[in-house]
Amino acid sequence: MSIQDTRNYRFHNGEKAPLPFSAVEYERRLKGLRDIMDEHDMLACVLTSMHAVAYYSGFLYCAFGRPYACVVTAEQCVTVSAGIDAGQPWRRSHGDNITYTDWRRDNFEVTVAFITGTSGRIGIEADHLTLAMRDRLAGALGAELVDVAPAAMRQRMIKSSEEIALIREGARIADIGGNAIRDAIRPGIREIDVAMAGRDAMELAIAEAFPGSELRDSWVWFQSGLNTDGAHNPVTTRKLAHGDILSLNTFPMISGYYTALERTLFVEDVDKASLHIWEANGGAHELGLSLIQEGASCSSICKRINVFFEERDLLRYRSFGYGHSFGVLSHYYGREAGLELREDIDTVLQPGMVVSMEPMLTIPAGQPGAGGYREHDIIVIGEDGPENITGFPYGPAHNVIG
């Protein structure tokens, strides 16, 4: 058989690389997933999102137009990867790996079916699959496809001690990026120059703390003036000026795990109207931190902060929810939607959860105090109560720079 006829093969090139977590941790996760499979009478799960593949196998793929999967059965955990990645998926996976080739368009689905078989009930992530890929998998598997994504998300919402240790390091490194940014701020410097200072500091810190890890995807959003109005606005070449409102946002990524630091600052001076809004948002932040306790529901926390803002006639300037879960996520993959501090989510906080508190007010251009105000801390809910693992200070006493 020529190589052009090969649908898939094993290319176990080199030795296994260090993964972010122990083999015991990955087996714990797989046992949790297999318990879900047993509960719903599934013979296998075909996980296709970046976050789920990374969570259960350790492998964080780079799709670049090709599909990837982690296929879990009662006995196996197999990552399915494209030939363009050669042996790297094997080295970075807990368990087996099979490579599919480009020679025929359906080789991915054929390879998945080779692992799962073609009968029974098979779990998929309905919130990730495109309609086209779902149809392709249904045709290849010939099985009943069942959505496992909500149950898998609930499993990911409770962090292990190993996960919390990594998240704690991420928060420390986010503070390092914040300090580098703070040191770079001055009138006349561009947003991009400040952002690069923070990103470089974090990547060096990750390389030192996690020498066996992949270094990828860490970033900074640093906005000034009008650019602060949205939480996810990109960096520009705008130059900072005296009196500008600033938004500092550092995001060190460690093996797919997201952490964040977000702070409001001003260049050299803050006017009275801006100070009023800044202090009010800081008050909401402090209230929210006090409300993050075991037994509190996401919706109840939101309602209390809403009352705080409404009493100050500021609720109309709020632009999104008050916080979210942490774990395997990024700005282009992942989200534990069941653990967000929003009015429509009634999840009750419990030990092992990690959430942010991040109120934001956006005052439109042309009004006194115009700009976006946001503070962001990370809280670990432990058996002995909540712990704030963010160290960078917030508020006017610390963050009027110059």
Side-chain angles (χ1 to χ4, degrees), residues 10 12 16 76-80 89-90 93-98:
R10 284 179 168 84
H12 295 178
K16 289 283 193 180
Q76 299 185 88
C77 173
V78 186
T79 49
V80 177
W90 150 253
S93 293
H94 174 78
D96 197 2
N97 169 262
I98 297 179

Side-chain angles (χ1 to χ4, degrees), residues 84-383:
I84 195 169
D85 290 321
Q88 189 260 359
W90 150 253
R91 294 191 297 274
R92 293 286 177 180
S93 293
H94 174 78
D96 197 2
N97 169 262
I98 297 179
T99 298
Y100 72 91
T101 70
D102 283 351
W103 317 135
R104 291 175 61 174
R105 186 160 296 276
D106 61 348
N107 283 352
F108 171 75
E109 304 93 277
V110 168
T111 301
V112 169
F114 170 74
I115 303 166
T116 64
T118 56
S119 62
R121 290 161 58 88
I122 295 177
I124 60 167
E125 293 178 273
D127 61 355
H128 176 262
L129 288 178
T130 63
L131 293 175
M133 179 52 73
R134 190 189 190 286
D135 289 345
R136 287 166 60 182
L137 281 175
L141 299 179
E144 180 185 358
L145 302 184
V146 182
D147 185 15
V148 75
M153 177 192 67
R154 287 191 292 272
Q155 182 187 2
R156 296 195 310 274
M157 281 162 46
I158 306 296
K159 313 304 176 194
S160 69
S161 59
E162 289 191 32
E163 286 182 283
I164 290 173
L166 187 149
I167 292 169
R168 192 182 299 276
E169 273 293 275
R172 180 185 69 84
I173 292 169
D175 286 347
I176 290 173
N179 284 316
I181 286 173
R182 193 181 193 283
D183 291 344
I185 292 171
R186 64 181 185 274
I189 194 171
R190 300 177 303 175
E191 290 180 2
I192 182 61
D193 299 312
V194 178
M196 287 192 294
R199 183 203 62 203
D200 290 352
M202 292 191 300
E203 289 191 336
L204 288 171
I206 294 170
E208 181 178 354
F210 299 89
S213 68
E214 298 174 323
L215 297 170
R216 56 186 287 190
D217 298 335
S218 293
W219 84 102
V220 167
W221 280 325
F222 180 77
Q223 302 111 351
S224 62
L226 181 63
N227 296 338
T228 64
D229 65 347
H232 298 164
N233 292 354
V235 175
T236 75
T237 59
R238 183 185 184 276
K239 292 183 179 181
L240 276 56
H242 173 86
D244 269 349
I245 185 172
L246 308 175
S247 187
L248 176 161
N249 309 269
T250 63
F251 307 101
M253 294 294 296
I254 305 169
S255 299
Y257 272 70
Y258 167 102
T259 48
L261 165 70
E262 301 173 8
R263 288 290 184 260
T264 299
L265 309 95
F266 277 79
V267 180
E268 299 183 325
D269 190 24
V270 53
D271 63 89
K272 184 176 180 180
S274 298
L275 182 62
H276 172 71
I277 304 298
W278 194 5
E279 289 178 336
N281 198 60
H285 182 63
E286 291 169 356
L287 172 62
L289 290 172
S290 73
L291 297 173
I292 295 178
Q293 301 280 344
E294 179 182 354
S297 70
C298 295
S299 57
S300 68
I301 292 171
C302 291
K303 290 173 184 176
R304 291 281 301 278
I305 302 174
N306 283 349
V307 170
F308 178 93
F309 277 141
E310 196 164 29
E311 288 173 346
R312 290 154 179 81
D313 195 27
L314 293 172
L315 184 59
R316 57 198 165 121
Y317 298 119
R318 174 193 165 198
S319 54
F320 59 89
Y322 292 119
H324 58 80
S325 182
F326 287 81
V328 188
L329 62 100
S330 178
H331 57 309
Y332 59 94
Y333 62 84
R335 195 74 168 179
E336 292 168 10
L339 187 51
E340 295 195 15
L341 302 183
R342 293 177 18 161
E343 290 85 347
D344 58 345
I345 295 177
D346 296 320
T347 300
V348 174
L349 302 184
Q350 58 182 288
M353 291 180 172
V354 183
V355 296
S356 62
M357 173 49 56
E358 49 178 311
M360 180 173 181
L361 298 173
T362 297
I363 310 301
Q367 293 190 23
Y373 300 76
R374 185 171 69 262
E375 316 294 349
H376 176 296
D377 287 12
I378 300 173
I379 299 89
V380 175
I381 302 168
E383 296 292 344

